Amino acid sequence: MSNLIDGKIVSAAVKDRVKAEVAELKEKGISVGLAVILVGEDPASKIYVANKKKACEDLGIKSFEYVLPADTTQEQLLSLINTLNQEKNVNGILCQLPLPKGLDDQTVINAISAQKDVDAFHPANVGKIMIGDYDFVPCTPAGVMEMLKYYDISPEGKECVVIGRSNIVGKPMSMLLLHKNGTVTTCHSRTVDLKEVCLRADILVAAVGKAKFVTADMVKPGAVVIDVGMNRADGKLCGDVDFDTVKEKASYITPVPGGVGPMTIAMLMQNTLTAAKKQNGLI
Ligand code: NAP
């Protein structure tokens, strides 16, 4: 039976830290602001944006919300981003992805100033992560690293296996584990003998997007299992890991919900604070 890695506890600790620092900055006359752009009517995106706004309010961060219709043109969106890039009260800019048809995600990401790119998706920030000299880290992998740190789990010298190679989760996740001296294997849909690779893992991160994909026979006894997945099965939210069986083999495991999910917004708040500190010459 494994120990639970509780994302609610760890995210609350991160948010408390951010809230205290935001208050300190306010005393010095510095405000912290995040602009969130939502284009279209995607229900999941609407919920994410509402949650981000609420987190800003809770922590004393100003949120500027821009809700644009689905037929917004690329030129209109780029023009808004250009204005926000120059707006002093806006320290971070986030454009909720995926964008509706007709708008190109990467063009929009490239337009956001790298100094305000709190999602860390801009090529300049992606490159910095590769080098290991970064200010912003994509929020979900950063959240995973924060959870490992909180529970005193060091990747150093460990076999780390990441299932998934997306730009927002899998690749940066692998890179962060590598920076902490893990021996990292990144798996994807063409990986041969996935089960054998997973069985080597001391730390196994699942970012596949398939409900209950990781089963107990893929997990080494005593492994740390991190479930990034957010899927719907039988009307319920569930992860990429078959929690009920894997928890009997793992030493530590994250639940879904209540695991990696709450960490993502907490790390976004931390990145926004970092942006404000950098832009005010405090770091
Ligand atoms: P994605 O872009 O769809 O990437 C999925 C990855 O899984 C791809 O690299 C794919 O390989 C790999 N894959 C698919 N089927 C596989 C198989 N049978 N065997 C091995 N690898 C396989 O998804 P994502 O954006 O990274 O997200 C992954 C999951 O995390 C989703 O459930 C998403 O909802 C969740 N998520 C959660 C949070 C959070 O805050 N908790 C944040 C972001 C994402 P190929 O590259 O070969 O196609």
Side-chain angles (χ1 to χ4, degrees), residues 48 139-141 163-170 187-191 194 206-210 213 227-231 238-240 259-265:
Y48 294 142
C139 301
T140 302
I163 318 175
R165 57 171 165 180
S166 71
N167 288 337
I168 62 165
V169 188
C187 301
H188 45 79
S189 64
R190 316 290 167 86
T191 298
L194 181 68
V208 195
K210 292 192 167 146
F213 180 83
D227 189 352
V228 178
M230 283 215 280
N231 314 292
C238 79
D240 289 344
V260 177
M263 294 306 300
T264 300
I265 289 192

